[in-house]
Amino acid sequence: MSVPLPLSRRRLLVAGGAGLVLAGLTDPFRAAPARAAVTTADLVVYGATSGGLAAAITMRRLGRTAVVVEPTGHVGGLSTAGLGATDTGVQASIGGLAAEFYRRVYVKYHGGTLTPTSPLRMTFEPRVATAVFAEMLAEAGVPVVVDARLSGLGRTGNRITELRTEDGSIYRGGVFVDATYEGDLLAMAGVGFTVGRESNDTYGETINGVQSRNTHQFAYPVDPYVTAGSPASGLLPGISATPLPPQGSGDDKIQAYCFRMCLTQAANRIPFGKPSGYDPVRYELLLRHIQAGYTGPYFTTHSVGGGKTDSNNNGAVSTDNIGFNYAYPTASWATRESIIAEHRTYQQGLMWFLANDPRLPASVRDSTARWGLPVDEFTGTGGWPPMLYIREARRMISAYVMTEADCRGRVRATDSVGLASYTMDSHNCQRVVVDGRVRNEGDVQIGVPAPYPVSYRAIVPHQAQCANLLVPVCLSSSHIAYGSIRMEPVFMILGQAAATAASLALAGNLAVQAVSVPALQTRLRQDGAVLEWGSTSEVILDNAASSGITRAGTWLRSTSIGGYYGPDYEHDGNTAKGVNRLRFRPSLPASGSWTVQLRWTADPNRATNVPVDIAYSGGLVTRTVNQRQSGGQWVPLGTYQFTAGSDGSVLIRTEDTDGHVVADAVRFVRV
């Protein structure tokens, strides 16, 4: 039986075997009792992330036993730790157990009966995600053991036989899954991995390695020195004294971490407190940026429901603690805990600074103080998220490395076990000094043309290194491709694929590398997975396309504001209103109903009243879009009938618009 307590507040004890009994403790910080037991299961999952839970639930549904061993006290990964505004890319590419999770979320909010056709809801409060995972785990009979850190492995040849945890417990299995964000199990198993950014030359990429761009960048010149204007006074914290390396060169740096805060403006909110160890010098860069003229935003406030947000980094100085996480991926747990604590102090201090520092304009302090932590989220940690967002740590190196070419559709893996579709996204990796001013480096936000397959070979190591391990989270990928793949829905998709492959390997007494990919794909499709994205399902026309674009007037190319599709976007310069026009005329492969979606980059200088003419087989309709909102998204403009070929079009006009008009890309999705 299971205890109906929030997962993050339980210590689940494993009695062993298929008839597992789960016991709960109410104190989330109480040390788990000494277990020192031997547990045997068909599948042992290390890491209770969303991908790890998906793997264990899948294994139980396939009629086999599974146990999840989690090194921390938190279950559900970032999906239950504040990341409630899910990064999705193309929602229709999400299938199988991942889609079921988001359908269950929808039912939690809107009621009704869960069916395979229930809508997906991609925004949610952390407590709702926790409840959904709790139900799925209980229904499948999956035991989860928390506060159980890996201390050793047993091996026979190239196979893991057991993993051992610090409390003396042993977990034996036929197949193992490393579902941690850090890749600790794969490293202990001797599987090859990398940390940091490859150079562009390594895999023939264009946006890997050092990338000095203008997104989440300082909008005004800011002095980097402790005493402004005095290099002899030294650099402010977090700024590198090393000159900026050449564009595209590789290094061991990783994109910044932060906590995904759940905030509210409810009357009973918990105010931002001043943390122990608060040091105002940590926020001197932000103060100088504000004094130079920057007016925000200072963090995001994406609504997730219940009057709450998923609040993330936004701007040059925000919640990302740039440059303070380099040691984390391969560090000991003691060192990791100190890094996590440092990040917590930094971010809690940031919020206190914005809400209280008298040097700031009253408007900044007042607008920040309207927010606080909800009293009904993360109750064991005072409303603060229990898990740091580990955006990237180790990445396995296997027989297939996912790269920018996969993301752009230039190559397509034939052994697909799921689709990814999010923007190739890296947060900033370092702060440097350029021409006497501080500058961020590493932020990349480049869209992908369509959902693309993730190779089965990318989630299994070389057989000589380990024949019974699957890695759905720290999979084999370059830094920039991982930035697209590393989304919670994809981790669940790959977790389901890993468990399905594990079941087939056990049935045939095979190495996971020898599993029949056609048999694996057949079973995944049977269980609702989406493995292909056909060319007749979607057509995207980008402003940079060599054909299908006609312009009137003058359009300027830009990459200043992130979230654009393809290499750049265009804007009218806020001039020649009515003269400047840009038309997208796609070549559609089939007649029928197509949903038209438009993409732009949002900014306060954009127009709120951009007219968009959609010509289709039934006539012409005009829609008006507000380009100060919904940037970096595919915004639906309706579904219309089109005939095959290029008779239809989408025309962006500029008549009487009240700001810059952006033309980025249009997307047609077949209904």
Side-chain angles (χ1 to χ4, degrees):
M1 67 177 180
S2 61
V3 178
L5 292 173
L7 286 172
S8 62
R9 303 189 67 185
R10 287 194 266 175
R11 297 296 182 268
L12 307 186
L13 309 185
V14 180
L20 296 167
V21 179
L22 312 182
L25 300 177
T26 57
D27 183 352
F29 301 108
R30 178 175 162 193
R35 289 178 282 261
V38 176
T39 300
T40 301
D42 294 320
L43 183 70
V44 177
V45 178
Y46 187 60
T49 60
S50 61
L53 300 187
I57 293 166
T58 298
M59 200 66 167
R60 293 291 292 133
R61 291 181 177 182
L62 293 171
R64 295 184 178 274
T65 57
V67 61
V68 179
V69 181
E70 164 59 30
T72 74
H74 181 74
V75 175
L78 263 293
S79 288
T80 58
L83 206 168
T86 310
D87 297 318
T88 58
V90 179
Q91 189 179 118
S93 68
I94 302 171
L97 189 142
E100 178 189 335
F101 172 84
Y102 296 108
R103 290 190 179 102
R104 285 176 178 253
V105 170
Y106 177 89
V107 171
K108 286 287 185 187
Y109 280 100
H110 304 284
T113 302
L114 177 69
T115 72
T117 59
S118 297
L120 281 62
R121 175 165 172 145
M122 313 306 295
T123 57
F124 44 82
E125 300 156 83
R127 62 186 183 86
V128 173
T130 298
V132 170
F133 271 136
E135 291 174 359
M136 296 176 76
L137 289 165
E139 291 168 10
V142 174
V144 180
V145 183
V146 298
D147 291 332
R149 291 177 179 170
L150 183 65
S151 63
L153 294 179
R155 291 181 64 112
T156 299
N158 64 349
R159 288 180 177 266
I160 303 171
T161 57
E162 63 184 33
L163 64 82
R164 297 183 288 272
T165 54
E166 291 177 353
D167 66 0
S169 297
I170 296 173
Y171 301 89
R172 292 176 179 155
V175 181
F176 294 77
V177 165
D178 185 341
T180 62
Y181 291 121
E182 296 88 359
D184 288 345
L185 175 54
L186 75 89
M188 188 171 286
V191 170
F193 66 87
T194 187
V195 174
R197 302 182 287 183
E198 298 89 354
S199 71
N200 276 331
D201 293 340
T202 303
Y203 295 117
E205 297 175 303
T206 65
I207 52 175
N208 207 340
V210 172
Q211 295 290 315
S212 183
R213 294 172 175 265
N214 293 322
T215 44
H216 296 290
Q217 192 57 266
F218 288 89
Y220 299 89
V222 172
D223 190 289
Y225 301 108
V226 173
T227 301
S230 173
S233 66
L235 293 167
L236 287 167
I239 302 175
S240 172
T242 304
L244 184 66
Q247 189 91 339
S249 58
D251 57 25
D252 60 357
K253 295 176 173 58
I254 54 176
Q255 56 181 310
Y257 299 165
C258 71
F259 290 89
R260 294 293 283 254
M261 299 178 295
C262 183
L263 303 181
T264 183
Q265 293 184 336
N268 64 344
R269 65 188 179 275
I270 303 169
F272 299 121
K274 186 176 183 179
S276 174
Y278 175 81
D279 184 353
V281 76
R282 294 298 306 275
Y283 316 104
E284 181 67 22
L285 283 177
L286 179 54
L287 176 64
R288 293 179 185 180
H289 200 201
I290 293 171
Q291 290 172 339
Y294 182 68
T295 59
Y298 309 105
F299 50 90
T300 66
T301 54
H302 296 303
S303 175
V304 296
K308 300 170 188 172
T309 73
D310 168 359
S311 290
N312 191 19
N313 184 83
N314 197 351
V317 183
S318 183
T319 61
D320 279 357
N321 195 10
I322 300 172
F324 286 84
N325 62 342
Y326 301 152
Y328 183 91
T330 59
S332 67
W333 272 109
T335 300
R336 284 178 180 169
E337 286 176 344
S338 69
I339 293 171
I340 293 168
E342 200 282 332
H343 278 68
R344 185 185 301 112
T345 298
Y346 165 77
Q347 194 165 331
Q348 290 178 344
L350 170 75
M351 303 310 292
W352 191 91
F353 167 80
L354 287 168
N356 294 279
D357 195 298
R359 296 172 295 174
L360 294 174
S363 59
V364 174
R365 288 180 275 126
D366 293 345
S367 62
T368 304
R370 293 190 190 105
W371 296 99
L373 305 174
V375 297
D376 60 345
E377 299 285 356
F378 312 136
T379 56
T381 49
W384 192 258
M387 175 173 276
L388 183 65
Y389 188 4
I390 308 304
R391 290 189 171 95
E392 177 182 20
R394 294 183 180 97
R395 301 187 309 280
M396 180 172 65
I397 301 175
S398 71
Y400 193 103
V401 179
M402 300 291 297
T403 70
E404 180 185 339
D406 292 275
C407 299
R408 293 190 185 273
R410 294 171 183 160
V411 300
R412 296 184 70 82
T414 58
D415 55 345
S416 173
V417 289
L419 301 178
S421 62
Y422 193 69
T423 298
M424 289 178 283
D425 174 43
S426 172
H427 284 233
N428 277 306
C429 299
Q430 63 177 330
R431 286 196 172 110
V432 296
V433 179
V434 177
D435 297 330
R437 297 291 182 262
V438 64
R439 184 172 177 82
N440 292 339
E441 183 278 313
D443 192 276
V444 179
Q445 300 173 47
I446 304 294
V448 302
Y452 58 90
V454 178
S455 168
Y456 177 60
R457 288 165 289 169
I459 68 169
V460 296
H462 292 288
Q463 186 169 336
Q465 294 176 350
C466 193
N468 65 337
L469 175 67
L470 296 112
V471 185
V473 176
C474 293
L475 69 155
S476 178
S477 171
S478 72
H479 158 76
I480 196 59
Y482 193 76
S484 172
I485 299 168
R486 62 174 181 85
M487 304 303 154
E488 294 290 293
V490 181
F491 289 154
M492 283 189 261
I493 289 167
L494 298 180
Q496 179 180 358
T500 305
S503 181
L504 292 173
L506 290 170
N509 193 26
L510 301 169
V512 293
Q513 294 83 0
V515 165
S516 166
V517 170
L520 172 59
Q521 292 174 328
T522 296
R523 180 65 208 215
L524 288 172
R525 291 189 187 97
Q526 179 182 330
D527 293 335
V530 181
L531 305 184
E532 300 91 13
W533 194 260
S535 60
T536 60
S537 299
E538 176 188 68
V539 173
I540 296 179
L541 189 57
D542 182 58
N543 68 287
S546 58
S547 61
I549 307 292
T550 56
R551 300 171 181 82
T554 301
W555 289 84
L556 306 174
R557 307 289 277 266
S558 179
T559 59
S560 295
I561 304 298
Y564 50 87
Y565 180 91
D568 57 22
Y569 61 90
E570 300 179 38
H571 63 85
D572 70 341
N574 201 21
T575 61
K577 298 300 187 180
V579 175
N580 292 330
R581 296 182 168 201
L582 190 146
R583 186 185 300 272
F584 297 91
R585 190 181 297 278
S587 180
L588 300 179
S591 300
S593 296
W594 295 77
T595 298
V596 178
Q597 300 173 344
L598 195 66
R599 191 179 184 111
W600 59 83
T601 63
D603 191 76
N605 73 357
R606 304 296 195 240
T608 65
N609 57 343
V610 180
V612 181
D613 295 339
I614 302 168
Y616 62 105
S617 57
L620 179 73
V621 65
T622 299
R623 299 284 184 242
T624 302
V625 300
N626 180 355
Q627 293 191 337
R628 294 181 190 175
Q629 302 175 353
S630 305
Q633 304 175 33
W634 291 112
V635 179
L637 303 182
T639 301
Y640 311 93
Q641 290 289 321
F642 293 90
T643 57
S646 54
D647 69 319
S649 68
V650 174
L651 174 66
I652 297 177
R653 296 189 283 115
T654 63
E655 288 93 330
D656 301 318
T657 49
D658 56 2
H660 287 71
V661 174
V662 171
D664 182 15
V666 66
R667 177 175 171 224
F668 294 75
V669 180
R670 192 173 182 186
V671 179

